[in-house]
Amino acid sequence: LTFETTENLPVDIQLVGLDGSLVKALYSGTAYAGQNKFSFNKANLATGTYILQVLSTNEEIAHEKIVIQ
């Protein structure tokens, strides 16, 4: 997942199911001004469709759909 911010922001990156339920909290920290890249190990995920969300102050600033087969 690549996303861009215009300033340093506190962010939470989480994996959620299509029903909105939290599957796993992946990162809580700072996204720095400019382009940010995030990747994670998908090996332990069950088959299904997920949404990778980037939140800052409870507002979604980026998301990506992930399908595990």
Side-chain angles (χ1 to χ4, degrees):
L1 173 68
T2 301
F3 63 97
E4 201 164 322
T5 64
T6 57
E7 59 185 328
N8 295 352
L9 296 173
V11 296
D12 292 308
I13 300 178
Q14 56 193 25
L15 194 64
V16 298
L18 291 180
D19 62 357
S21 63
L22 179 64
V23 174
K24 187 169 188 173
L26 299 170
Y27 176 78
S28 184
T30 302
Y32 296 99
Q35 188 177 60
N36 294 267
K37 291 184 180 184
F38 181 80
S39 62
F40 69 101
N41 186 344
K42 302 172 194 153
N44 294 327
L45 292 175
T47 299
T49 303
Y50 303 92
I51 303 294
L52 182 62
Q53 291 182 323
V54 180
L55 305 170
S56 182
T57 318
N58 293 325
E59 181 179 326
E60 185 177 80
I61 58 175
H63 71 272
E64 180 177 298
K65 182 177 172 181
I66 297 172
V67 177
I68 305 296
Q69 298 182 4

